[in-house]
Amino acid sequence: MSTCATVSRDLGEPISGTAATATTWLLLEQPGPWGAKALVSSHLDPALGRALDAAARDTGVRVALIRHPGRHADFGAPPLRQVYAAHTAPGRVWLRSATTHDPRLLLDLDFAALGRGDHHTFDTALRGGPHTGDPLALVCTNGKRDRCCALLGRPLAAELAASGVRGAWEVTHLGGHRFSPTLLVLPYGYAYGRAEAHTVREVLRGVRDGRIVVEGCRGCSAWERPGQAAELAVRSATGEDAAEALSVVRTTGGAPRWEVTVAHRDGRHWQVVVDQGPSLPPRPESCGASVLGSPARMDVVAVRELAGSALVG
């Protein structure tokens, strides 16, 4: 069966620089079925879903729904819901956890502060605190958005859970259906595509050790897409795998070419040239698309360490 994911894989479409952009993720447990726009087409109160979407707009926060892997018969609202918030900017990474009987309490959060990396209102409104468990492995299974997410994502989430990955959750739309199964790993916010269970377990082992696996990585959600591609290119060029070692400190230019400055916490800097071009030949960008498209791809054409970048540590 030909799907957008099989076509993308067969055409060798690169996945670097394709992750969703969010400095902070806010995750709310919502069992049962999800529609294409899950915040307003699940069994969550749609008025609450619309209010959360509006509150998060232009703050750097992305709201998503999560559920445990497995069958999704809906037995009504859960008595207690899991809530997570994660900030992904290097040097200020955190992952907070809470439970609530009333998801409307999420509207008491200061979304702008969350986007900046301040978790104070999460802790006060929801009685949240530091997440002390395993890293979160969030697998997109939103089949109403694209069938690849269900056909490929749900088996992956189920396999991870069955193999003892305690942080495995299903999550709503992460973008890039054609790279299914897609995965977001928190706290660091790196996304992966075309994921397989054995590689996910390797990624999670790395995260527990504060390391990032570059293979299959789409980028860190803290950066815009040119920055995602640039940061991964510096990791590949230098072999640097420490999770919070690199930051995107400057981006100049605009489509179709950017110059991105990537800084290491030891004082080194690199200038990375990223070109945007169409993915050819045209292909279905999602299984529901009625016409073929040429999705933008991020190609790193140069990586240069800047002279005089001093070692400071």
Side-chain angles (χ1 to χ4, degrees):
M1 176 177 62
S2 179
T3 64
C4 66
T6 57
V7 171
S8 175
R9 185 189 297 266
D10 290 347
L11 291 175
E13 183 180 354
I15 65 175
S16 174
T18 65
T21 300
T23 55
T24 302
W25 292 83
L26 179 62
L27 309 172
L28 171 65
E29 183 178 1
Q30 176 57 56
W34 297 334
K37 295 182 179 179
L39 278 180
V40 295
S41 55
S42 68
H43 289 182
L44 182 71
D45 178 359
L48 173 59
R50 285 190 292 272
L52 290 171
D53 186 54
R57 196 167 299 136
D58 300 323
T59 65
V61 177
R62 181 159 173 152
V63 184
L65 304 181
I66 57 175
R67 64 192 178 193
H68 289 291
R71 295 181 64 251
H72 301 302
D74 194 343
F75 299 107
L80 195 63
R81 299 172 191 253
Q82 181 67 53
V83 187
Y84 296 107
H87 188 65
T88 62
R92 296 181 290 127
V93 167
W94 47 256
L95 175 58
R96 314 292 285 187
S97 174
T99 55
T100 184
H101 294 280
D102 184 2
R104 292 172 297 180
L105 292 176
L106 273 66
L107 294 177
D108 293 335
L109 301 177
D110 184 334
F111 281 76
L114 279 176
R116 295 191 301 267
D118 179 355
H119 52 70
H120 176 72
T121 59
F122 184 88
D123 295 348
T124 55
L126 298 172
R127 298 183 180 178
H131 173 66
T132 57
D134 289 345
L136 303 186
L138 307 166
V139 181
C140 179
T141 62
N142 197 352
K144 293 294 185 182
R145 192 70 179 246
D146 189 280
R147 62 177 175 166
C148 285
C149 299
L151 292 173
L152 300 173
R154 288 190 65 186
L156 174 62
E159 183 176 353
L160 292 174
S163 68
V165 176
R166 286 171 291 186
W169 291 86
E170 297 186 12
V171 69
T172 51
H173 182 55
L174 293 177
H177 337 278
R178 63 192 185 279
F179 305 123
S180 294
T182 59
L183 173 85
L184 176 71
V185 179
L186 295 174
Y188 298 117
Y190 284 81
Y192 292 82
R194 302 175 186 142
E196 298 179 4
H198 69 278
T199 57
V200 174
R201 286 191 285 268
E202 179 185 351
V203 167
L204 294 174
R205 281 194 296 271
V207 169
R208 283 191 288 269
D209 295 335
R211 296 183 297 103
I212 299 302
V213 173
V214 171
E215 183 179 0
C217 191
R218 299 175 62 192
C220 175
S221 74
W223 316 124
E224 298 293 334
R225 291 182 174 182
Q228 294 172 11
E231 190 243 16
L232 289 177
V234 172
R235 287 192 180 277
S236 296
T238 62
E240 178 59 75
D241 65 357
E244 298 186 74
L246 299 177
S247 295
V248 174
V249 296
R250 187 182 183 198
T251 301
T252 60
R257 171 166 284 206
W258 296 266
E259 291 187 354
V260 182
T261 304
V262 178
H264 195 289
R265 61 189 175 193
D266 68 11
R268 288 176 291 165
H269 289 73
W270 292 263
Q271 186 178 75
V272 184
V273 180
V274 181
D275 281 357
Q276 176 181 296
S279 297
L280 298 173
R283 76 285 310 275
E285 295 189 52
S286 69
C287 289
S290 58
V291 297
L292 300 181
S294 299
R297 54 184 284 171
M298 296 291 163
D299 292 311
V300 172
V301 296
V303 179
R304 178 173 65 90
E305 185 172 357
L306 297 177
S309 35
L311 293 175
V312 295

